[in-house]
Amino acid sequence: MLLCFATVIIADQPDNGSVILQNETDFLLVGRQTYFLEDREGNLGIDDIVKPENQKRFQRNEKDVFIRRPSASAFWLKLSILNQNQKDAWIELGSIYLWYIDYYSEQNGKLILTTSTGSVRPEGNKAYPTNLFWLPIGKKNNLQTVYVRINTQRPLELPIHAGTTLSLSQNKARHDNVAAAFVGLMLAMFFYNLFLLFSTRDKIYIWYLLYILSAIPSTSYINNYPLFESVFGKKEESFWHLQPFTWLSFPYIFMGYFAIYFLSLNNRVLIKRLIQVFILIFVLFAITDFFVIAPHHILVAILQPVAFIYLLFFLGIGIYLWWFKNEKNARFFSLAWVFAILSVLDYLLTINGLLPYNYLNRNAAFFGIGMETLMFSLALGDRINILRDEHQSEQAKHLSIILEQKQELVHEVSERKKAFESMEELSSSLEQKVTTRTNLLTSALNRITDDVRLALKIQKNILPKKTEEWDGIEIYSRYMPMTDVGGDYYAINKLENGTIRIFIADATGHGIQASLMTMCIHAEYFNVKDYPITPGHLLTILNNQYCDRYSRMNAFFTCIILDIEIHEDRITYASAGHPDQILVQSGKITPTHVKSRLMGLQPEYEYKDFTAPFFSGDKILLFTDGIFEEFNSNNEEFGEERLFRIVDSEKNLSGKELFRKIMDTVSEFISGTDQNDDITFLVIERK
């Protein structure tokens, strides 16, 4: 079906050296009717060409397509054409690699330069607006001989067609459809994998997306569609054509990095190093072409075999990992390179005359690279499935280990039970030992109780007074530990510039462990509390110090620093994982929405500052999460919503009255139940 779709009707020509256009629909491949002369020095003009000695030098092209290796030579082409259909006829030079084209046709018995065009000449020089080069034959019904001088340092793979405006336009439309389908497929793959990038956060998709973005213009370019030129415009001596390896090297570079990450080659040092060598080679090609360090035709002669070896190398890696190392993620990777290499082989065999030149073979690169990209997308999807299966397998393995451990534990409990039953016979003789141990434990408990009382005394001494006034700022506070000592801490100090700084922290856990953490927090904060810097900067310094000293403890805490800048009528605050606090202003309540990391979780994390106006009568409520994590006798949680409702309904009270109202409500709510967490609560009012 694909062959049927790709068929292009090319009329047969008599092998007599002349081209005859009989019908308007004729579309003739005239490579074998073309004669050529190689001008190695590039200094022959049309007057030199028509001389008998140079006419004898013309040779007949023996293939459907005119093919020459890259060189600095100029080539003269000669065609004899008879147009019998009375329609405008053209010669189509089917390559955008032709830098300079000079077309001479007969007018009044003389050969005149009719068209001077080429890929690096202005677009307006073209005789017909198309991506290729159409040279006018006209409507004359007489045999005429035309000459074309071409000069380029790119490889010459030049199909030459003759036809009318209708037949050439129909052929162009077929090729345009393939190009548009290719670009559409590539863009679909790009946006699909862009979605997967945002979904998985896997950086492998970055390299694949870069490969797609670079493969679209490069593949289109080798199929005679200069997309870069269409986007950025064409200037004389066009960079895109004169130095194409500057940008054509990028797909090879990005594909190398994609292969390294997709095939997990960091542990296969030799393969990874070889890919990096190839990447370096393509980088050097790009630099050399950009700065014109070497003639372009020499670079072409070197790059073509290197690129093909690169493709074969990737195919070899994929087959090795798939067949010999049983790595499933190499399946689609290998298939992708099979399509790519087959398309390159088809293209090379076509331009060298070993396969017929037709619509399908000429567009092999579009089909091959499109299928390659599709295979890579399937490979990435398959990779997700493989990782999921491996995760499930790992979970099953862990479950099996847990079951084995459970059986061992049951056996051990059974053995312990037997031992315990046998030890009951010795219980009477152990009563005295138990009594002795009980006395020792009582003594130890008394010492621990004394230590807890001392810790409570120390903790109370480092906390501020319950009610304080600071230059027109009234602060009401209460600290309610769940046990004798707790894991909450707060501090208030005044900076030299008059700013009042308030710090409140909540360590993870409860009891003695949490209270010891508050000692660490106090020690670290005490050293930096007077720094004349913003709260966000201060939290960043405090976090780095805490991580440096206590990271091995895996002990974290939330906190907030609030600076009251009285002379600026402003507050500045920064939070480290702390719950939203409440600002009461002008009859409205506003939560402080701040998303940030806990202290001690990530060194070098930068905390941000937030500001708000703070005028006379404004209030701000600072607290730890213990206030809304309390439960009543009906197992109902106090909750943030309840706290916000109370503040909203009583927002017009003074700071002192609002403080008492909330504390009384909390005490009444938890009456008859044990306190569930440490509670620290402050109300700050600007008088």
Side-chain angles (χ1 to χ4, degrees), residues 185-244:
L185 172 64
M186 297 293 278
L187 290 177
M189 291 301 99
F190 175 81
F191 287 110
Y192 169 70
N193 287 279
L194 183 65
F195 168 76
L196 292 179
L197 169 63
F198 287 117
S199 299
T200 64
R201 304 291 181 181
D202 191 341
K203 65 181 179 181
I204 190 175
Y205 288 96
I206 296 176
W207 293 112
Y208 183 55
L209 291 172
L210 290 173
Y211 169 71
I212 293 178
L213 284 181
S214 58
I216 292 174
S218 59
T219 307
S220 301
Y221 178 76
I222 67 175
N223 281 273
N224 295 318
Y225 286 89
L227 296 184
F228 272 136
E229 190 175 278
S230 301
V231 175
F232 297 104
K234 178 179 179 180
K235 298 180 180 178
E236 195 163 352
E237 302 295 314
S238 174
F239 161 79
W240 308 113
H241 294 283
L242 291 176
Q243 296 150 287

Side-chain angles (χ1 to χ4, degrees), residues 5 46 93 158 193 233 249 279 286 376 419 426 428 492 510 529 655:
F5 170 75
I46 189 62
L93 301 182
L158 181 59
N193 287 279
S249 298
I279 291 174
F376 283 143
L426 303 174
S428 58
I492 307 171
H510 311 289
K529 66 183 178 68

Side-chain angles (χ1 to χ4, degrees), residues 22-39:
Q22 298 175 336
N23 303 305
E24 186 179 5
T25 57
D26 285 348
F27 179 65
L28 311 179
L29 182 61
V30 297
R32 294 182 184 272
Q33 284 77 42
T34 302
Y35 291 81
F36 70 93
L37 182 152
E38 183 175 3
D39 179 9

Side-chain angles (χ1 to χ4, degrees), residues 155-168:
L156 275 173
E157 171 261 316
L158 181 59
I160 306 171
H161 290 95
T164 63
T165 304
L166 173 64
S167 61
L168 292 181

Side-chain angles (χ1 to χ4, degrees), residues 514-532:
S515 71
L516 291 175
M517 279 186 62
T518 63
M519 298 298 103
C520 299
I521 297 170
H522 170 73
E524 296 301 324
Y525 179 70
F526 187 81
N527 293 330
V528 300
K529 66 183 178 68
D530 294 317
Y531 283 7

Side-chain angles (χ1 to χ4, degrees), residues 524-567:
E524 296 301 324
Y525 179 70
F526 187 81
N527 293 330
V528 300
K529 66 183 178 68
D530 294 317
Y531 283 7
I533 56 179
T534 66
H537 191 185
L538 188 62
L539 280 185
T540 301
I541 294 174
L542 182 62
N543 178 59
N544 289 336
Q545 291 181 357
Y546 188 83
C547 290
D548 185 52
R549 291 185 173 90
Y550 307 110
S551 60
R552 295 183 179 179
M553 293 170 53
N554 289 325
F556 314 111
F557 65 95
T558 70
C559 66
I560 184 172
I561 294 180
L562 174 78
D563 282 359
I564 304 175
E565 302 166 84
I566 299 175
H567 299 298

